[in-house]
């Protein structure tokens, strides 16, 4: 993958971003210090009984970054490269993501250092349940609400919900989101990130000088987020999806691909490549293709100082987290390319997680149409706020999104005051 960033500590990056926005907002030293520190961190080393009969000790983390605006929210990932600083950075970004779409939440993140591909299902379940038991004192519907992330899914959330409920003596569905529907999951959660991204693109199209009907779209990473965004843009808004890709390569069709049919092809063959009637393209070509809208929906650090100049899209919608390095951002700003930053463009997922929690705690569930209508309102309002700040301050959308988010967190901290 193109990556001209060095292996830098993600929490240092997160803190640098805070400083940049703090400068723009004219924040003083004390409040900056608060913003640059996670409120609460748990490191837990815990034993798990393995299939071979012996025990193994795993290390897990939960970082509750900021809770000024409400309970903290954020996923739990299982990955060999999980580190405390990575979890801190991800928890900070969750704080800003929840704030930019104005959810009554703070931000958190968690993880276990492990390779789930090398564990049996029983081992993953026992590891999950023991970790959940260690988290019981610091999570809960009014405290901190985990969700799925890398290599965790609705089954993982079901185990956490069950373990927490056993400790409390009654069912507590609102302790996690991303649950199966049978346990209080929400309609529309599965497609929320891609759908939210499509709504933000719809709102941004006009100001970017685009007519969405007939606009051409390229998607790097035809997975959950990317395929849903492509399908909605094509089926509901009349855009023309001309190129999509996955790890194995990409496909191009000048008069438009049918995203649903490409999804079925990927489901059958394991990749979008070889889709009948399409031409092969590389992932690099996808990023540089002559389209109106580019959706990076795969990995971080894809748009770099090396390829930024070659990007021809008028709108870049970051369904993925962190696909653009700062140098590329600057190039896009100078070229007047509209960047819809990740904390806004992919916030549909956490928004419907919030809806799931709201439904769980009131024990009253909404239809898919209600979920999508409310999601539309959140994404539309959030885009409008970010766009207004970008215009007013003459900054790019990413800075504007951070300004909106951090200002909201600062307001909450200052209005509450510092205890005691
Ligand atoms: P996914 O695994 O469903 O899809 C990722 C897709 O990207 C896959 O099709 C994969 O083949 C492809 N891919 C991987 N490496 C690639 C490469 N080098 N070039 C081209 N394609 C490549 O994952 P997802 O849930 O859709 O997440 C994608 C991105 O969106 C991630 O950055 C994730 O953090 C972000 N995101 C997802 C959600 C969500 O709710 N799913 C929410 C917020 C952010």
């Amino acid at each position: 993958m193109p990556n001209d960033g060095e292996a830098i500590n993600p929490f240092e990056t997160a803190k640098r971003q805070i400083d940049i926005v703090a400068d723009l907002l004219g924040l003083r030293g004390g409040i900056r210090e608060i913003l640059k520190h996670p409120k609460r961190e748990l490191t837990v080393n815990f034993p798990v009984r393995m299939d071979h009969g012996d025990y193994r000790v795993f290390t897990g983390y939960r970082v509750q970054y900021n809770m000024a605006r409400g309970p903290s929210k954020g996923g739990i990932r299982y990955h060999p490269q999980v580190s405390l600083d990575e979890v801190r950075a991800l928890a900070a970004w969750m704080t800003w993501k929840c704030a930019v779409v104005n959810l009554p939440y703070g931000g958190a993140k968690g993880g276990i250092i492990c390779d789930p591909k090398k564990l049996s299902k029983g081992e993953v379940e026992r590891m999950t349940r023991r970790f959940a038991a260690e988290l019981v004192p610091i999570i809960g519907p009014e405290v901190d609400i985990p969700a799925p992330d890398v290599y965790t899914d609705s089954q993982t959330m079901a185990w956490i919900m069950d373990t927490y409920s056993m400790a409390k003596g009654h069912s507590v569905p609102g302790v996690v989101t991303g649950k199966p529907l049978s346990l209080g999951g929400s309609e529309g959660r599965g497609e929320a990130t891609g759908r939210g991204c499509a709504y933000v693109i719809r709102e941004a199209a006009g100001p970017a000088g685009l007519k969405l009907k007939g606009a051409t779209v390229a998607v790097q990473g035809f997975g959950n987020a990317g395929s849903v965004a492509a399908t909605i843009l094509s089926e509901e808004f009349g855009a023309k999806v001309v190129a999509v890709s996955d790890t194995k390569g990409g496909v191009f069709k000048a008069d438009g691909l049918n995203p649903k049919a490409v999804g079925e092809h990927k489901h059958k063959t394991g990749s979008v490549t070889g889709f009948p009637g399409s031409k092969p393209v590389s992932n690099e070509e996808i990023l540089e293709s002559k389209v109106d809208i580019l959706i990076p929906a795969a990995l971080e650090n894809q748009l770099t100082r090396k390829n930024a100049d070659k990007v021809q899209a008028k709108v870049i919608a970051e369904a993925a987290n962190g696909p653009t390095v700062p140098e590329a951002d600057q190039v896009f700003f100078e070229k007047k390319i509209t960047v819809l930053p990740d904390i806004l463009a992919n916030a549909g997922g956490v928004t419907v997680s919030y809806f799931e929690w709201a439904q769980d705690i009131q024990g009253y569930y909404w239809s898919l149409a209600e979920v999508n209508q409310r999601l539309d309102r959140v994404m539309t309002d959030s885009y409008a706020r970010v766009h207004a700040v970008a215009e007013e301050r003459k900054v790019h959308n990413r800075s504007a999104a951070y300004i909106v988010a951090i200002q909201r967190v600062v307001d909450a901290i200052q209005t509450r005051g510092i205890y005691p």
Side-chain angles (χ1 to χ4, degrees):
M1 86 180 150
N3 179 354
D4 58 4
E6 284 165 27
I8 40 170
N9 179 328
F11 190 44
E12 292 306 320
T13 307
K15 285 192 284 190
R16 266 212 315 277
Q17 289 168 336
I18 295 167
D19 265 329
I20 292 168
V21 180
D23 285 343
L24 289 167
L25 289 172
L27 299 179
R28 291 208 317 232
I31 196 87
R32 279 177 197 239
E33 284 305 295
I34 296 173
L35 294 173
K36 289 200 288 193
H37 283 83
K39 173 192 173 74
R40 188 184 286 150
E41 305 180 331
L42 174 77
T43 298
V44 54
N45 303 301
F46 57 97
V48 174
R49 189 166 27 82
M50 306 302 280
D51 290 346
H52 53 58
D54 202 357
Y55 307 123
R56 202 176 127 191
V57 173
F58 290 88
T59 300
Y61 305 105
R62 185 74 184 167
V63 173
Q64 297 166 345
Y65 197 82
N66 187 291
M67 298 168 126
R69 289 170 46 82
S72 51
K73 187 91 193 77
I76 291 180
R77 65 173 52 176
Y78 292 172
H79 199 273
Q81 256 103 50
V82 163
S83 71
L84 184 53
D85 270 341
E86 179 195 56
V87 176
R88 286 172 171 149
L90 293 165
W93 289 324
M94 281 306 298
T95 307
W96 318 138
K97 189 179 293 190
C98 291
V100 82
V101 287
N102 214 3
L103 307 181
Y105 279 152
K109 203 82 183 192
I112 300 177
I113 306 171
C114 67
D115 186 350
K117 288 186 186 155
K118 295 195 180 136
L119 301 172
S120 71
K121 187 166 181 199
E123 288 169 339
V124 173
E125 176 172 354
R126 293 193 292 278
M127 179 182 79
T128 301
R129 286 184 177 279
R130 177 61 189 251
F131 184 52
E134 303 284 354
L135 292 181
V136 166
I138 62 156
I139 62 172
E142 293 174 342
V143 191
D144 179 17
I145 307 132
D149 193 68
V150 177
Y151 292 131
T152 55
D153 57 17
S154 58
Q155 178 62 70
T156 323
M157 296 306 114
W159 289 328
I160 297 176
M161 178 267 190
D162 183 67
T163 305
Y164 186 86
S165 298
M166 288 297 108
K168 296 293 165 184
H170 56 94
S171 289
V172 189
V175 66
V176 284
T177 62
K179 295 180 297 296
L181 275 178
S182 58
L183 292 178
S186 178
E187 294 287 350
R189 175 64 188 86
E191 62 166 33
T193 301
R195 179 169 285 280
C197 184
Y199 288 154
V200 175
I201 292 170
R202 182 197 61 203
E203 292 306 301
L210 275 182
K211 214 165 136 252
L212 198 46
K213 195 166 165 24
T216 51
V217 181
V219 180
Q220 187 205 37
F222 200 71
N224 177 322
S227 67
V228 171
T231 304
I232 291 165
L233 286 170
S234 157
E235 291 186 355
E236 297 184 22
F237 304 147
K240 196 158 75 172
V241 178
V242 294
V244 303
S245 70
D246 59 31
T247 36
K248 305 224 173 81
V251 291
F252 173 84
K253 192 161 182 267
D255 59 356
L257 297 154
N258 175 339
K260 270 226 174 97
V262 177
E264 281 157 22
H265 176 81
K266 182 172 162 80
H267 189 68
K268 259 192 263 152
T269 65
S271 171
V272 299
T273 54
F275 180 70
S278 70
K279 283 198 302 202
V281 280
S282 70
N283 265 301
E284 286 69 32
E285 287 166 333
I286 288 253
L287 298 174
E288 297 163 14
S289 52
K290 189 161 172 39
V291 287
D292 297 314
I293 299 161
L294 173 66
I295 308 180
L299 304 170
E300 61 279 8
N301 300 336
Q302 295 301 296
L303 297 166
T304 66
R305 123 180 94 197
K306 286 194 196 117
N307 61 10
D309 242 345
K310 300 184 197 138
V311 169
Q312 302 185 67
K314 297 187 187 72
V315 172
I316 299 171
E318 296 182 339
N321 281 316
T324 308
V325 308
E327 293 86 344
D329 244 346
Q330 195 49 37
V331 174
F332 298 150
F333 187 56
E334 282 157 18
K335 285 173 70 180
K336 297 200 173 10
I337 295 175
T338 300
V339 175
L340 300 168
D342 49 6
I343 61 167
L344 171 67
N346 69 32
V350 72
T351 301
V352 176
S353 274
Y354 161 61
F355 295 164
E356 177 177 336
W357 171 85
Q359 293 169 79
D360 289 336
I361 58 181
Q362 61 182 333
Y364 180 70
Y365 291 87
W366 312 341
S367 67
L368 178 60
E370 283 171 294
V371 168
N372 287 344
Q373 190 188 11
R374 289 179 158 117
L375 173 64
D376 194 344
R377 197 167 67 221
V378 169
M379 302 311 292
T380 300
D381 291 353
S382 305
Y383 167 78
R385 181 84 195 108
V386 169
H387 181 61
V389 169
E391 296 273 289
E392 199 178 288
R393 290 182 171 260
K394 311 239 173 307
V395 293
H396 48 67
N397 285 333
R398 191 180 318 279
S399 300
Y402 272 88
I403 288 171
V404 169
I406 290 183
Q407 183 68 63
R408 283 184 175 144
V409 174
V410 168
D411 284 348
I413 296 169
Q414 287 178 330
T415 310
R416 287 174 63 150
I418 302 301
Y419 177 86

